[in-house]
Amino acid sequence: MALLPLFIVLLSAVGHAFWNFFAKQSGNKLVFVWGLYSLSVVLFLPLYLWRGLGAELGAEAWACIVASAAVKAVYIILLSEALTAGDLSMAYPLSRVAPAVVPVWAILFLGERLSGLGAVGIAVVVAAVLVIHLEGLSAAHVRRLGSALLTRGTGFALLTALAVSIYSVIDKLAIARYADPVPFNYIHFAVGSAMLTPYVLWRCGGKAIAAVFRAEWLPIVFASLLDFGAYTLILYVMESSKVSYVVAARQMSQMVAILLGTLVLRERCGGIRLLAGVLILTGITLIGVAR
């Protein structure tokens, strides 16, 4: 990968980790994440008018938009629960193991076969999921691993990764066959926000939403720019660089999130979680190369 695309991907990775860092500190994580997605529809309207207005979208493109938006709405709910129940340095890496799940969908629904290197990569990611739950490396800590896995935070983080893997496949299909990146990305953000709004109003209420926006408007604006902007940068780089390299480089966001969680938020088990982050990065890189 050339130096400029690599720099853009790493910048995107840092941006993605930081908006999750802001969400973790929010008093109401569901409102925060829904708010940043909804605000993206306003902030990036000029980009859509410039690059996406008038784009022809057929029935297949709209089917992908609705399906991706629905899954992304569920993803927002799951991510907010994961960040509420678990540490950033654990919830974020677990929620980003989706590239290890995508090959499974390809085998089940696309008839693809898993290579030996791809299988090793998935095994390394599974090992990382186990390692990140260790509080130490003693035999006693290993014996307590089973109970550590059965936590609310872990469950929601892994369900978040599952949702990411599903909408990633839908988005890839849409961009490859049916739609240009800018109109697809913008419209499915708008549709997803609209789908989720009734649930957020029912769950949180208008007063709570207004209170979060009054107290946290600046982090929400910043996170909105980081999220939509990071994804747009990734789409740009994918036009000129190998997808496997982009996917691998973007996993550096996990290391950034672990460092933010352990150094800034003072979360425990920093060394072990960094080790798990390295394993996830290694496993996903192997999966990318195997493709």
Side-chain angles (χ1 to χ4, degrees), residues 99-116 118-119 122 169 172-173 176-177 287-288 290-291:
V101 184
V102 171
V104 177
W105 299 129
I107 293 169
L108 293 176
F109 299 108
L110 301 178
E112 296 183 5
R113 298 183 65 181
L114 185 65
S115 68
I122 292 175
V169 172
K172 181 178 179 180
L173 176 66
R177 298 184 182 181
I287 294 167
R291 294 176 186 173

Side-chain angles (χ1 to χ4, degrees), residues 87-186:
D87 290 345
L88 175 69
S89 57
M90 178 178 288
Y92 185 87
L94 289 179
S95 70
R96 304 310 298 176
V97 300
V101 184
V102 171
V104 177
W105 299 129
I107 293 169
L108 293 176
F109 299 108
L110 301 178
E112 296 183 5
R113 298 183 65 181
L114 185 65
S115 68
L117 192 58
V120 171
I122 292 175
V124 172
V125 172
V126 171
V129 172
L130 299 177
V131 169
I132 204 170
H133 287 85
L134 291 173
E135 296 182 2
L137 299 177
S138 67
H141 288 119
V142 174
R143 285 194 295 270
R144 291 199 293 269
L145 183 59
S147 59
L149 286 168
L150 301 175
T151 63
R152 179 181 176 85
T154 295
F156 278 113
L158 291 177
L159 286 173
T160 302
L162 182 64
V164 172
S165 73
I166 295 172
Y167 77 63
S168 296
V169 172
I170 297 171
D171 291 357
K172 181 178 179 180
L173 176 66
I175 297 302
R177 298 184 182 181
Y178 307 125
D180 290 329
V182 170
F184 174 81
N185 201 32
Y186 180 84

Side-chain angles (χ1 to χ4, degrees), residues 5-17 226 230 233:
L6 178 60
F7 174 77
I8 292 174
V9 172
L10 294 178
L11 184 65
S12 168
V14 172
H16 197 275
L226 288 174
L233 287 173

Side-chain angles (χ1 to χ4, degrees), residues 255-279:
M255 308 303 293
V256 175
I258 292 171
L259 289 172
L260 287 171
T262 55
L263 298 181
V264 181
L265 300 181
R266 301 298 180 184
E267 297 171 352
R268 56 200 178 109
C269 304
I272 292 176
R273 291 178 181 178
L274 280 172
L275 172 60
V278 171
L279 288 174

